[in-house]
Amino acid sequence: MQTKLVSTSTLQRVKYGHIRVAGLKRAINAEKVATVRDALIEYLRIEQDRLDDYRATGKYEED
């Protein structure tokens, strides 16, 4: 069985990615303005895609 070596900075970025997702979900639930809510949903999808890619490949890509 092989283990992946992951740098500390990558783990921190993933950790903060999970925190961003949780915060975005709360903000979306609280937001009443449709255009703002749509923007938050779009950013949530982007962040979730990054985390899904990390789970699949072990690489966390940020813009």
Side-chain angles (χ1 to χ4, degrees), residues 4-18 54 58 60 62:
K4 291 187 209 176
L5 294 176
V6 181
S7 70
T8 303
S9 63
T10 301
L11 291 176
Q12 286 178 336
R13 290 186 301 189
V14 170
K15 176 179 140 184
Y16 290 127
H18 286 288
Y54 173 74
Y60 184 79
E62 288 183 314

Side-chain angles (χ1 to χ4, degrees), residues 19-54:
I19 292 169
R20 279 191 295 274
V21 166
L24 285 165
K25 287 179 179 179
R26 283 193 303 271
I28 289 166
N29 288 334
E31 186 58 51
K32 297 191 186 314
V33 179
T35 54
V36 175
R37 187 177 179 142
D38 291 344
L40 291 170
I41 290 170
E42 180 63 27
Y43 189 67
L44 175 65
R45 287 180 185 148
I46 292 168
E47 191 61 46
Q48 285 179 327
D49 286 345
R50 287 180 187 155
L51 292 171
D52 290 342
D53 290 346
Y54 173 74

